[in-house]
Structure formats: structure tokens, C-alpha cells
Amino acid sequence: QVQLVESGGDSVQAGGSLRLSCAGSGYTNSRFCMGWFRQAPGKLREGVASIDSTGRTTYADSVKGRFAISKDNVKDVLYLQMNSLKPEDTAMYYCAAVWALSGACPRPEFTANRYTYWGQGTQVTVSS
């Protein structure tokens, strides 16, 4: 049984920064694609960023240039650095993972139903 544990969510003013963390033994140093998703009340879950086993990253257009996904292979921790936060970034943020022999992420990108392991979510609230 694999569990992903998220932390780092908080309330912040527009323009501020946060770093989210997701701990899961083996996931950041094995044949996994890992990603961050978010969901606001009344809205669909949407992909934010992903990183494959080689370190290749993909970002949603809405966060490109502001967010950065990374992983620490020694500590087995996935990160999402969020800068220049906007009120529209307010959502519950989830980390997710899916195993593949190639370690590649699903295509097309951000197909949530392809990810098999999920964290409990951490709330990010950005005020104006």
C-alpha cells in the first residue's frame, strides 16, 4: 500500500509564494510519472504540472512561468514551487503518481484517471 502525503498549503496574498511538498517513498526515484492537480469548489479537476522519471516537466498554460515542479530523489519528495500567486490559483492541490515501465507520463498530458496514487490534498488560498 503506497501513500502520498502532501503539505505546504496555506493562505497567502496575491503575488506571494508557497512551496508544496509530497512525500512518498520510492516514487521520486523509480519508474514513476508524478504530477500536481488542483480543484476549486464547483469546478473540474485540472492538471497543473508533471514530471517523468527522467526529470522532463510539463506545465499547464495557466501556471507556466510562475510554478515549478521538481523532485528530490534522495529524500523521495515531490515539490511544487508557486510564485506570483493569483486569486484564481485558489484550490485544493493534490499530488499524484502513476507507474510505467518507461517512467513516462500519460499522453495526452494531465489525464487524471490514468494516475493511480493520490495524496489527501492541501488547501491553497490566495487573497486579493
Side-chain angles (χ1 to χ4, degrees), residues 48-117:
V48 176
S50 66
I51 183 168
D52 69 15
S53 62
T54 73
R56 183 175 182 176
T57 59
T58 302
Y59 296 94
D61 289 341
S62 59
V63 307
K64 190 173 183 179
R66 299 188 297 119
F67 291 10
I69 187 171
S70 62
K71 56 183 178 179
D72 186 327
N73 290 328
V74 176
K75 298 180 179 179
D76 287 341
V77 177
L78 178 75
Y79 298 103
L80 183 67
Q81 179 66 46
M82 304 185 293
N83 300 322
S84 301
L85 284 162
K86 304 175 180 180
E88 50 263 46
D89 295 320
T90 296
M92 184 73 75
Y93 283 71
Y94 301 89
C95 68
V98 58
W99 186 92
L101 184 60
S102 66
C105 291
R107 296 191 179 188
E109 294 292 335
F110 308 126
T111 50
N113 63 356
R114 293 283 305 280
Y115 288 77
T116 55
Y117 302 102

